[in-house]
Amino acid sequence: MHILFVGKCSPAHTINAIIQKTGKNPGIQIVKFSRLILEGFVHNNNKVNVLSNIITEQAIFSRHHEECFEDIQYTYLPTIQVPIVCQLFYILSSFIYTIKWALRTKGDKIILCDIFANSSSKGSVAAAKLLNIPKCMMLTDMIAPPVTIAKDTSKWWWNMFFKMRVRSQHNSIKQYDGFVFLTKYMNDKYNPLQKPYLVMEGSVDYKFKAQPIVPTNASRIVMYAGAVEAEYGFDTLLKAFMELPIKDVELHIYGDGKFIKQLLAYQEQDTRIKYMGVVSNEEIIQAEQQATLLVNPRLSNQELVKYSFPSKTTEYMLSGTPVLTTKLCGIPEEYYSHLYTFDEESIEGFRDKLLETLSLSNAELQQKGMDAQRFVLENKSNIKQAHRIEQFFEEIIASKRKE
């Protein structure tokens, strides 16, 4: 099967180069999520091409260029960093590329689009409709409501453009023949025509070599890696951590976001809190393996948790380090027997559960972490998850032939 993926994706070395140049996170988690599935497709003997809108150059104009890595052909679309012009450029160039890809490939083919690469997807979907190629949408997060106002800006023209983009995302949903969702709740919200869908919450790298890790830190380390945003429960977590009566414990936070300023203020108040900045995914994984406990404080009372599966959950579990998380409805129930969970989402609740978990012996913590690691390697590898998607694609292709 020939699969064209349209979205934000790139090999790890390209992402690392962007981080080194800019010091900013170009979306490590979503890129890794997509790449793992594509590598699973390749392992299962499919041909994979990527049409990526990742911007690899700090320039107004970025040229088209290509690279091949681990049998995946990446094509980076040319772009001009000017609002509206940029989107039109993506639509046109993705349309042309998709036509060329379709004409040179023989046999079964399908296009998988990331809805958040909306302009690129529009061009590819238009080409797919012209050539009667099946097209499937992958939705990895909640789409903003059509009336959403852009954050952190009072510019009327930017708000107008943002609204147009969000409406465009909602309107484009009806163009697809099937959907890959992260949670079951997405189907009710984003599939009004009841087209075929598959729930696939995430995957881990089948190449990962499981082995016991002996932490070398003198202190116990509680660690978080991901977006540093207020709505992810950081204020509650930091206040709870500061109340811990344990001296030889540290809270390490990796990532980028709008809560950094407040985080640095907390760091000034408590030297056990350490902001570690933005680093490569390889460095994140090493840090996770050296930590005592990995934490996800995202609050469960927000609507968006129904429509997202935190990708850090499977990454955390793969590390072999135990995980403490809030209980989110987007995480399937089968995961929770392998995780520690907060009983109450308050400063006191977070503090008490942290204290209880950190009071466990190293042997107990390690056993819990290794149990979680076995679970994801045996049940959620990218090979297995890719195979499920391939079977779903075959159904869509067969249905398309009958039309």
Side-chain angles (χ1 to χ4, degrees):
M1 185 188 304
H2 293 272
I3 301 168
L4 174 62
F5 175 74
V6 183
K8 184 175 282 191
C9 193
S10 186
H13 64 260
T14 301
I15 296 299
N16 293 341
I18 295 172
I19 292 173
Q20 289 175 359
K21 284 181 182 178
T22 66
K24 295 183 179 180
N25 178 359
I28 291 175
Q29 290 302 328
I30 185 57
V31 170
K32 184 177 180 181
F33 176 92
S34 303
R35 189 175 64 241
L36 282 174
I37 293 301
L38 300 183
E39 289 174 357
F41 288 153
V42 169
H43 182 274
N44 297 341
N45 298 315
N46 298 284
K47 301 294 184 182
V48 177
N49 288 70
V50 174
L51 197 54
S52 179
N53 62 346
I54 281 184
I55 299 169
T56 59
E57 300 176 20
Q58 293 294 98
I60 293 178
F61 177 74
S62 299
R63 293 182 175 85
H64 157 274
H65 64 283
E66 300 182 0
E67 65 176 320
C68 185
F69 188 73
E70 294 187 347
D71 295 322
I72 300 175
Q73 182 67 42
Y74 295 88
T75 299
Y76 300 96
L77 293 170
T79 184
I80 299 175
Q81 291 304 301
V82 177
I84 300 179
V85 175
C86 175
Q87 281 67 39
L88 293 173
F89 219 65
Y90 277 148
I91 292 171
L92 178 60
S93 55
S94 61
F95 176 83
I96 294 171
Y97 177 86
T98 303
I99 293 287
K100 291 180 178 178
W101 169 81
L103 293 177
R104 70 171 180 259
T105 55
K106 307 298 181 184
D108 290 342
K109 57 177 74 73
I110 192 167
I111 298 172
L112 176 62
C113 296
D114 180 352
I115 188 64
F116 295 107
N118 191 43
S119 299
S120 307
S121 295
K122 276 186 174 297
S124 292
V125 166
K129 290 176 71 175
L130 182 66
L131 300 175
N132 199 34
I133 300 170
K135 49 208 176 296
C136 187
M137 185 184 84
M138 183 171 73
L139 186 59
T140 56
D141 208 341
M142 182 178 179
I143 304 174
V147 295
T148 301
I149 300 296
K151 295 181 179 179
D152 301 329
T153 179
S154 58
K155 295 178 181 178
W156 66 268
W157 59 269
W158 178 251
N159 277 312
M160 182 180 68
F161 171 69
F162 186 82
K163 283 184 179 181
M164 288 173 57
R165 188 178 69 177
V166 171
R167 287 197 184 100
S168 176
Q169 288 176 331
H170 282 269
N171 292 335
S172 67
I173 289 174
K174 299 175 183 178
Q175 306 293 318
Y176 293 92
D177 302 304
F179 302 93
V180 177
F181 293 134
L182 261 67
T183 76
K184 61 183 180 181
Y185 302 101
M186 285 180 162
N187 184 57
D188 297 329
K189 191 174 184 70
Y190 298 115
N191 191 7
L193 301 181
Q194 291 301 298
K195 293 184 179 180
Y197 74 97
L198 173 74
V199 175
M200 194 286 298
E201 69 277 4
S203 68
V204 298
D205 193 345
Y206 78 96
K207 298 189 295 292
F208 184 86
K209 301 300 180 184
Q211 55 185 351
I213 300 295
V214 179
T216 58
N217 301 298
S219 300
R220 284 193 155 191
I221 305 296
V222 179
M223 176 179 162
Y224 171 87
V228 185
E229 304 289 351
E231 58 265 31
Y232 288 4
F234 271 97
D235 196 57
T236 306
L237 174 65
L238 291 164
K239 288 176 179 176
F241 183 83
M242 291 173 71
E243 291 188 6
L244 288 179
I246 309 173
K247 291 184 179 180
D248 61 339
V249 64
E250 296 178 0
L251 175 60
H252 291 189
I253 296 175
Y254 293 79
D256 195 11
K258 299 182 181 68
F259 196 75
I260 297 297
K261 185 177 180 180
Q262 295 94 315
L263 170 58
L264 295 176
Y266 279 112
Q267 184 176 255
E268 289 293 320
Q269 298 175 49
D270 191 331
T271 56
R272 297 177 301 170
I273 297 172
K274 300 184 186 299
Y275 175 55
M276 312 301 286
V278 178
V279 300
S280 69
N281 190 244
E282 290 78 9
E283 291 173 273
I284 291 289
I285 292 171
Q286 290 176 9
E288 287 170 348
Q289 292 177 313
Q290 287 294 319
T292 307
L293 183 67
L294 305 175
V295 65
N296 182 12
R298 178 181 282 197
L299 303 178
S300 64
N301 60 358
Q302 300 169 330
E303 184 187 13
L304 63 87
V305 301
K306 293 172 63 177
Y307 309 109
S308 65
F309 176 89
S311 57
K312 69 173 63 64
T313 303
T314 47
E315 182 180 284
Y316 276 1
M317 295 172 77
L318 183 64
S319 71
T321 299
V323 181
L324 174 59
T325 179
T326 50
K327 199 161 186 179
L328 306 172
C329 55
I331 300 177
E333 194 64 34
E334 61 179 326
Y335 281 79
Y336 284 111
S337 60
H338 309 284
L339 303 169
Y340 296 118
T341 56
F342 289 108
D343 301 318
E344 182 184 339
E345 296 177 17
S346 64
I347 296 172
E348 295 77 15
F350 275 23
R351 179 200 62 207
D352 292 346
K353 194 64 181 186
L354 281 166
L355 189 58
E356 175 189 321
T357 309
L358 291 169
S359 298
L360 298 173
S361 68
N362 288 335
E364 288 178 282
L365 291 170
Q366 187 177 63
Q367 183 177 354
K368 188 75 170 183
M370 297 306 290
D371 170 65
Q373 185 183 73
R374 280 192 298 272
F375 170 75
V376 291
L377 281 172
E378 291 174 5
N379 299 284
K380 307 297 178 180
S381 75
N382 55 335
I383 291 176
K384 288 189 175 182
Q385 297 290 55
H387 180 64
R388 291 180 60 223
I389 298 175
E390 290 159 27
Q391 291 178 316
F392 177 62
F393 283 172
E394 287 169 1
E395 294 173 9
I396 293 177
I397 291 171
S399 177
K400 193 74 173 176
R401 286 200 190 103
K402 295 176 183 178
E403 293 181 0

